[in-house]
Amino acid sequence: AGVPVHVLTANDYLARRDEQQLAPLYEALGLHVASVTSSSEPAERKCAYQADVVHVTAKEVAFDHLRDRAARVVGDMHAIVLRGLCMAVIDEADSILIDEACTPLILARAADVGAADQRYRLSLFLARQLKREEDFVLGDGLLVRLTDAGQSKLDLLSQSLQGAWRWRRYRHEQVVCALQALHAFQRDIHYLIREEAVHIIDDTTGRLAVGRAWSRGLHQMIAIKEGVPPQPENETLTQTSYQAFFPRYIRLAGLSGTVHEDRQELLRVYGLPTCKVPLRMPSRREKRGRVVLATVEQKWQLVVAHASVESARGRPVLIGTDTVADSEAVSSALTMAGLTHKVLNARQDEAQGTLEHAVIAEAGLPGHITVATHIAGRGTDVHLNKDAIANGGLHVINTNLNRSGRIDRQLIGRCARQGMPGSSETILSWMDNCWKESATSSWLTWVVWAAQKRLGGTWLTDLA
């Protein structure tokens, strides 16, 4: 109908893959298709956005919109690459429109370093003088809070400092940021160190967030903590969020296998009604439930044991982990057991797309074991051959409970697709972070009630 369409997907790998695989279909319909990735130059982007259909990630098109906005402010009309926000079709719509809805998308530029490096190092020095639980406590969502004793101690430590450090609010913000860098943000969970730089791991997709940096000096302080050169501080040019960006499209649609439960929020925030589409073929998925073990070591032992059994049966096995560190831990356990496997995590980013493609291509072969972080965020189907289907299809082992149950269901949804056989199970330990984040009295009461109900007991009204 002459309306340009942006097909928004989870990552650059899928944007390129879908453009290449669907090109013959688009051409048969008389349409021109293109893709935009994080490595695309401005001239390439401008040319690609002239196509009828553009495959691109949500982050890339949102930042192109911000860059166009900044170009209009300074009157540089030749730098504008988009030709408008006409229609978007969003894959994994709940992940983008809900899970990442309020994440700030900030367009920034490098500022003069000046005395910033000295400020970062002084903040870290002061933060290292404070004791956990006594002077500060870690809260939910990577937050840090100074106690009254910690605030008094900080006032004492900084009483000889000059300039902005004499302002209590200023030194409070700087030191809290430093405490986050030292204690809240963890290597191989929230970021990777590569080529003498700190790279953020996107907690939704499990991939490197190319070109993104934390603000308020946090990124630089983490770099100093890890012994790598801090990058220049940034100053904000303009910003937005998905919740503000996507309503700008004239037409907006999306799809996801786990979106129906959030239909009220989609209607309230975006004005989008939700339609539930029935399965094309009856599901043959076998759900084996959850097992919770005492220690992490016991968890990995059971994961390896179950993976070994299913692999020996000629079934492909997918082990889903939450972090790079966990993926490497289970990889070590598999290696010690003599099990050949492949690992797919943030260390295999878009610069190593060939390796990723090879790992995904082999993940559906009989007996193959694949370990992956956030495979749901990667949005990739695991294609099975005839032998793998005959042997029972893909077996998925989930090793962590995510904050959103939809992410767990998306991982499980990698198996038994399109009427094929498959099975899933969840193996956890009581030492996993998911319990620590939920260890409240009300939660414990619910656990006891659930256990007693299963055993035929009575409701426990009080906890010692």
Side-chain angles (χ1 to χ4, degrees):
V3 178
V5 178
H6 295 161
V7 180
L8 305 180
T9 190
N11 54 67
D12 286 352
Y13 166 78
L14 292 178
R16 283 195 301 263
R17 186 202 68 179
D18 292 348
E19 179 220 353
Q20 294 167 1
Q21 290 187 355
L22 297 174
L25 177 60
Y26 286 123
E27 290 170 3
L29 296 171
L31 300 173
H32 176 50
V33 62
S35 65
V36 174
T37 66
S38 58
S39 61
S40 300
E41 297 295 329
E44 295 176 301
R45 292 170 184 265
K46 191 168 188 174
C47 181
Y49 282 125
Q50 298 303 309
D52 301 301
V53 180
V54 184
H55 289 264
V56 59
T57 65
K59 283 188 175 65
E60 288 303 317
V61 74
F63 276 110
D64 282 335
H65 170 71
L66 289 178
R67 282 187 281 267
D68 285 357
R69 181 192 294 178
R72 288 190 179 91
V73 171
V74 298
D76 186 5
M77 305 307 288
H78 294 289
I80 296 174
V81 297
L82 288 167
R83 54 168 174 159
L85 301 177
C86 300
M87 181 173 184
V89 180
I90 309 173
D91 192 15
E92 303 295 349
D94 50 350
S95 175
I96 292 174
L97 295 180
I98 297 174
D99 295 340
E100 300 182 66
C102 296
T103 301
L105 304 172
I106 302 172
L107 184 65
R109 65 182 177 190
D112 184 16
V113 177
D117 186 69
Q118 182 181 357
R119 184 178 80 246
Y120 305 145
R121 296 181 187 276
L122 179 55
S123 299
L124 289 168
F125 171 79
L126 293 171
R128 288 189 174 102
Q129 313 308 308
L130 304 179
K131 297 180 181 179
R132 188 168 178 172
E133 301 302 332
E134 180 181 325
D135 300 319
F136 69 92
V137 293
L138 296 181
D140 295 334
L142 304 175
L143 297 177
V144 173
R145 180 180 62 82
L146 285 179
T147 64
D148 292 340
Q151 186 66 71
S152 299
K153 188 174 183 178
L154 178 59
D155 292 343
L156 184 63
L157 290 170
S158 56
Q159 62 182 359
S160 62
L161 299 178
Q162 302 298 317
W165 288 98
R166 301 185 66 176
W167 302 338
R168 194 178 200 193
R169 181 175 177 180
Y170 174 85
R171 60 177 177 263
H172 176 100
E173 290 178 351
Q174 294 297 315
V175 172
V176 165
C177 189
L179 288 169
Q180 287 179 303
L182 292 172
H183 303 286
F185 287 80
Q186 301 176 47
R187 184 171 179 169
D188 292 342
I189 295 179
H190 303 107
Y191 61 90
L192 285 180
I193 302 298
R194 177 181 293 176
E195 298 175 352
E196 291 292 293
V198 175
H199 299 275
I200 298 173
I201 298 176
D202 190 304
D203 59 359
T204 301
T205 67
R207 294 173 174 272
L208 292 185
V210 180
R212 288 172 57 190
W214 288 300
S215 60
R216 300 183 298 110
L218 175 62
H219 207 98
Q220 290 79 4
M221 291 182 197
I222 290 176
I224 294 171
K225 178 187 77 170
E226 296 291 350
V228 300
Q231 65 185 52
E233 196 172 31
N234 292 325
E235 60 179 5
T236 300
L237 295 178
T238 184
Q239 63 181 327
T240 189
S241 66
Y242 287 150
Q243 191 168 331
F245 171 69
F246 280 108
R248 292 177 175 269
Y249 276 94
I250 299 173
R251 296 177 176 87
L252 182 63
L255 65 161
S256 172
T258 53
V259 75
H260 190 67
E261 63 201 73
D262 294 306
R263 59 192 181 278
Q264 293 182 344
E265 187 171 354
L266 286 171
L267 184 62
R268 177 177 58 83
V269 177
Y270 300 97
L272 295 174
T274 303
C275 173
K276 191 172 184 178
V277 180
L279 294 176
R280 184 175 66 89
M281 301 177 68
S283 175
R284 298 170 62 188
R285 182 177 299 123
E286 176 192 352
K287 297 180 180 179
R288 299 183 181 177
R290 294 174 180 169
V291 176
V292 185
L293 300 168
T295 67
V296 174
E297 291 74 18
Q298 290 175 339
K299 177 176 81 169
W300 295 140
Q301 289 174 6
L302 189 61
V303 168
V304 170
H306 286 198
S308 177
V309 169
E310 299 300 335
S311 176
R313 292 174 177 169
R315 300 182 63 189
V317 178
L318 172 64
I319 302 173
T321 66
D322 188 46
T323 66
V324 173
D326 280 354
S327 70
E328 293 176 345
V330 71
S331 175
S332 297
L334 290 166
T335 300
M336 291 180 64
L339 296 175
T340 303
H341 62 282
K342 294 290 180 66
V343 178
L344 189 59
N345 58 33
R347 297 193 195 279
Q348 292 87 42
D349 63 2
E350 300 305 323
Q352 298 171 290
T354 303
L355 174 60
E356 177 175 344
H357 179 77
V359 172
I360 293 172
E362 295 178 359
L365 297 178
H368 279 241
I369 300 175
T370 306
V371 180
T373 55
H374 291 289
I375 193 72
R378 295 177 181 273
T380 305
D381 286 348
V382 177
H383 296 286
L384 309 180
N385 65 13
K386 293 182 179 179
D387 291 336
I389 296 172
N391 294 335
L394 180 68
H395 180 65
V396 173
I397 303 176
N398 182 21
T399 64
N400 184 78
L401 293 183
N402 287 277
R403 286 187 177 89
S404 171
R406 284 184 284 101
I407 297 177
D408 295 327
R409 289 192 291 278
Q410 287 167 357
L411 170 64
I412 292 170
R414 297 302 105 189
C415 71
R417 299 173 72 84
Q418 303 295 330
M420 294 183 183
S423 57
S424 66
E425 63 180 321
T426 300
I427 301 178
L428 310 169
S429 84
W430 287 112
M431 297 174 66
D432 293 346
N433 288 330
C434 59
W435 309 119
K436 298 175 185 177
E437 294 174 358
S438 307
T440 62
S441 176
S442 59
W443 177 83
L444 291 172
T445 302
W446 181 87
V447 170
V448 173
W449 170 81
Q452 289 193 323
K453 183 177 180 181
R454 182 177 181 182
L455 297 173
T458 58
W459 171 245
L460 182 66
T461 59
D462 192 23
L463 284 176

